[in-house]
Amino acid sequence: MATSLILGIPFMYYMAKAHRNLLLKLFLFSLIGSCFWAIILTGSRGGMVGAIVVLMILTYQSRHKVIGFVIAAMVFAIVAVLAPDQYKDRFMSIFHVTASAEEDEFGAAESARGRINGLILGFKFLLKNPITGVGIGNFGWHHHMEPGGDWTDAHNLIGKLVGELGFLGIAAFTFFITRFVQSIRYVKRTFFERGWQSDFLFYMTQAVLVGLIMLFVQGMFGHNLYRDNWYVYAAFIVIISKLVEQRLQSEQKRPQALVETAS
């Protein structure tokens, strides 16, 4: 739930920027505030870190960075005061990942070791099956077959990718991300080169970019390789790039049409 809320925040934020209606902006920002509070209540440490990261990214990308960081600091202060102690203690346990089993009250150390172990096992499985890996959804089974292992999944995007899909999967995923980034750059470059005003398409491109970054950030805490968001975001950017391409072609044809009319 925390991950889903985090991935939705950039879209609500940039929808608020794309529209001028004050009531709509207030509604969307109130939803964003509700999402941050709900993330805290999930008790997910990865979700709390992700919420901080997405807030910092959105603040950094804003035109008023100083004001944005001041507001972000105020939000952190308010949360620190209002959040129940159990959630504050759980978040602070992130900084005690070296604790012993007896001191690991919130399981932070065990959780961190599990994610590191998932990464290590992923490369171990890659070496055993370099071409195709151990197969989609088979990480837990092969983890169970390891000495002292259990049925735990990778809890790590990279470990999941290399372990289950091998070099074929790595190549496919790399190509997918490369084309993804190229499409985002095409849209942003076209807007800047043509001097177009930022509109809904531009802001949605920004939202997709932040969403893509957050998929990688959240992937460090979980195995989100097969989340639908990768493909939904890809569909968004394909549609946006096609619409931008159509607009560009329309503008390029207009001078020619004027010349033909004048002649």
Side-chain angles (χ1 to χ4, degrees), residues 107-125:
E110 182 181 354
S111 178
R113 284 190 290 267
R115 281 149 177 77
I116 295 172
N117 189 46
L119 178 64
I120 295 172
L121 282 176
F123 282 97
K124 184 175 182 179
F125 297 158

Side-chain angles (χ1 to χ4, degrees), residues 47-252:
M48 295 178 195
V49 172
I52 294 173
V53 173
V54 74
L55 182 59
M56 292 295 98
I57 292 175
L58 294 177
T59 302
Y60 179 77
Q61 289 191 342
S62 68
R63 289 183 298 175
H64 309 288
K65 292 182 176 57
V66 175
I67 296 176
F69 280 113
V70 170
I71 294 174
M74 292 173 61
V75 171
F76 290 145
I78 292 171
V79 169
V81 172
L82 297 181
D85 289 340
Q86 66 189 83
Y87 298 111
K88 287 187 284 189
D89 292 342
R90 184 168 175 81
F91 175 76
M92 294 305 297
S93 68
I94 295 172
F95 304 102
H96 297 87
V97 296
T98 58
S100 63
E102 293 77 13
E103 299 172 333
D104 192 18
E105 179 182 357
F106 292 95
E110 182 181 354
S111 178
R113 284 190 290 267
R115 281 149 177 77
I116 295 172
N117 189 46
L119 178 64
I120 295 172
L121 282 176
F123 282 97
K124 184 175 182 179
F125 297 158
L126 175 66
L127 293 176
K128 288 183 178 180
N129 304 274
I131 304 300
T132 61
V134 298
I136 294 174
N138 289 331
F139 194 101
W141 168 261
H142 285 269
H143 186 186
H144 167 70
M145 301 297 289
E146 291 291 311
D150 53 36
W151 292 90
T152 305
D153 211 330
H155 285 289
N156 184 283
L157 171 62
I158 298 175
K160 184 86 166 173
L161 171 64
V162 302
E164 289 195 356
L165 302 182
F167 282 112
L168 283 177
I170 295 170
F173 189 72
T174 301
F175 175 77
F176 172 73
I177 296 300
T178 300
R179 293 293 297 128
F180 207 139
V181 174
Q182 286 175 341
S183 297
I184 292 174
R185 291 182 64 186
Y186 166 75
V187 173
K188 298 184 70 172
R189 185 177 65 250
T190 302
F191 266 85
F192 292 141
E193 290 179 352
R194 303 296 294 188
W196 293 347
Q197 292 293 321
S198 299
D199 59 8
F200 182 77
L201 292 181
F202 181 82
Y203 285 125
M204 286 301 98
T205 302
Q206 292 287 87
V208 169
L209 174 60
V210 177
L212 183 62
I213 294 172
M214 292 312 301
L215 278 170
F216 280 102
V217 171
Q218 294 301 108
M220 297 301 100
F221 313 118
H223 38 268
N224 63 359
L225 179 63
Y226 307 127
R227 281 188 72 96
D228 294 341
N229 300 81
W230 296 101
Y231 314 109
V232 173
Y233 291 176
F236 282 171
I237 200 62
V238 167
I239 294 170
I240 292 170
S241 61
K242 289 297 180 182
L243 291 173
V244 168
E245 184 178 341
Q246 290 176 6
R247 178 179 174 183
L248 181 61
Q249 291 175 351
S250 177
E251 287 193 358
Q252 290 172 342

